[in-house]
Amino acid sequence: MNSYSEIKYERVPRFRPPLMGCVAKDLTLCRMLTGVWADTLSSLKYSLDGSLLSLAADHAVSDLLYRDAAEELEQLRVLGELIMALGGEGLPEIRGGGRRRSRDSAELLLRAVSEKRRRIDLYETLMSRTGDRVVRSVLSGLITAERRMCARLDMSRSDVNGAEISENKCD
């Protein structure tokens, strides 16, 4: 028999009921969310790339960008489920982006904060275009997650190269 110290616990994601059947079909909102999904996937790739590129120079920035990527992966799952529940037939194929790669920690963080702010604006716009309470709740959760990560990234910017926290907060 194993001792308590030998037992390994797995982190189990918290339960969330599926969205299918809980929201009304809305192909217009579905198409808009598909664009946001593609943008989030691109941002995930960029965060992972930035994490790997900054690893040698700045472990703290690398770790922060990696955590950002992990949160974006969860957002992709939620967005994908919402898209399918709204009547989507599948998710779009994504081709490589033409973003310039950088190893500069300050530039990596500035881009990440800018993307978060842009996505917050997109989610808020989409919230204003739907009356579905479930969709609004999902979008509200995504906005909260984006704001939390944006604030973390913005605070880290103040530590890197003495960059000031921008006046345009993540709220």
Side-chain angles (χ1 to χ4, degrees), residues 58-72:
D58 193 333
H59 288 287
V61 170
S62 177
D63 183 54
L64 188 62
L65 290 172
Y66 182 81
R67 284 187 283 151
D68 182 40
E71 286 192 19
E72 287 172 337

Side-chain angles (χ1 to χ4, degrees), residues 2-171:
N2 292 340
S3 71
Y4 287 112
S5 63
E6 294 175 3
I7 297 175
K8 297 194 180 196
Y9 295 94
E10 293 182 32
R11 182 172 182 256
V12 178
R14 65 173 217 253
F15 173 76
R16 198 174 51 73
L19 294 171
M20 193 67 74
C22 294
V23 299
K25 303 286 185 204
D26 185 341
L27 294 178
T28 302
L29 185 60
C30 179
R31 281 190 292 276
M32 296 167 102
L33 283 170
T34 301
V36 175
W37 186 88
D39 181 63
T40 304
L41 183 61
S42 177
S43 183
L44 168 69
K45 179 207 169 288
Y46 177 74
S47 293
L48 282 175
D49 190 50
S51 175
L52 294 171
L53 287 171
S54 65
L55 185 59
D58 193 333
H59 288 287
V61 170
S62 177
D63 183 54
L64 188 62
L65 290 172
Y66 182 81
R67 284 187 283 151
D68 182 40
E71 286 192 19
E72 287 172 337
L73 182 59
E74 173 60 16
Q75 289 178 7
L76 282 170
R77 187 189 66 74
V78 171
L79 281 170
E81 187 180 341
L82 183 57
I83 288 167
M84 299 306 285
L86 288 168
E89 298 293 324
L91 299 171
E93 289 188 25
I94 306 298
R95 297 199 168 71
R99 293 181 179 177
R100 186 176 70 82
R101 298 174 81 190
S102 174
R103 293 180 188 267
D104 179 57
S105 296
E107 185 178 344
L108 289 168
L109 290 171
L110 178 62
R111 283 187 192 176
V113 168
S114 297
E115 287 181 4
K116 296 288 175 206
R117 288 186 181 131
R118 190 170 47 78
R119 212 162 25 252
I120 290 168
D121 289 343
L122 281 169
Y123 290 147
E124 288 175 342
T125 299
L126 292 173
M127 270 186 68
S128 70
R129 294 185 181 178
T130 184
D132 190 304
R133 289 187 356 230
V134 175
V135 173
R136 291 177 61 81
S137 175
V138 170
L139 291 173
S140 177
L142 292 170
I143 289 169
T144 300
E146 289 286 358
R147 283 183 176 153
R148 182 179 54 246
M149 196 61 207
C150 183
R152 277 190 224 143
L153 291 165
D154 213 15
M155 290 298 291
S156 292
R157 282 187 55 225
S158 68
D159 295 336
V160 174
N161 295 333
E164 292 183 20
I165 296 175
S166 59
E167 292 299 319
N168 188 7
K169 299 279 185 196
C170 300
D171 297 330

